[in-house]
Amino acid sequence: MGKIGMNSGFSFFSIAILVAVVIVPSFDSVYAQPLQKVNAVVLEFDGTFATVEISWNDNGASYYESGCVSCMPNLSDTTTDNSLILNNVTSLASGNTLLYVIAYDDADEIISAKQIMLQLP
């Protein structure tokens, strides 16, 4: 019967490493950028509730979630666009409102997140 020598084991290992180096990186084709520019503008304010438009740079995400942490109750919505309008935004006692934007990839994993502190008029 034949013996398998050290050379064939080394060759198999070399081929396996080469395949991993060549094939594995090709599966990661999404190169999303972080959320770098996020703007929040108060469109309307009645003294208690505000309508706020949040916009951000398109970073190649599949979809975005935007919401208000300081609102009672908390608000959130999702979109594939690079802006979202939130209605019934309220503030903390200080007048500050804490908003956020989260970018997700195709696998529903978070790519990037940004918080925005906004002072209501």
Side-chain angles (χ1 to χ4, degrees):
M1 300 282 164
K3 292 184 177 180
I4 297 177
M6 284 297 261
N7 287 342
S8 61
F10 178 74
S11 297
F12 178 74
F13 180 73
S14 298
I15 291 171
I17 294 295
L18 181 62
V19 167
V21 168
V22 171
I23 293 178
V24 172
S26 67
F27 288 118
D28 187 18
S29 60
V30 176
Y31 299 104
Q33 301 294 320
L35 292 168
Q36 294 184 6
K37 186 177 180 184
V38 178
N39 295 316
V41 177
V42 177
L43 301 176
E44 189 176 317
F45 183 60
D46 68 5
T48 304
F49 297 101
T51 301
V52 177
E53 180 178 20
I54 304 174
S55 60
W56 51 87
N57 61 296
D58 183 4
N59 72 339
S62 293
Y63 69 97
Y64 303 90
E65 177 184 0
S66 181
C68 177
V69 176
S70 61
C71 295
M72 288 299 191
N74 295 72
L75 306 172
S76 72
D77 203 357
T78 59
T79 185
T80 56
D81 296 329
N82 63 345
S83 69
L84 190 67
I85 294 178
L86 296 173
N87 296 304
N88 300 322
V89 173
T90 59
S91 64
L92 300 168
S94 65
N96 289 326
T97 300
L98 183 59
L99 308 169
Y100 66 89
V101 177
I102 303 172
Y104 292 91
D105 65 11
D106 290 335
D108 295 331
E109 298 289 328
I110 294 174
I111 298 169
S112 184
K114 194 81 150 187
Q115 291 182 341
I116 308 100
M117 185 70 74
L118 179 67
Q119 178 77 36
L120 292 182

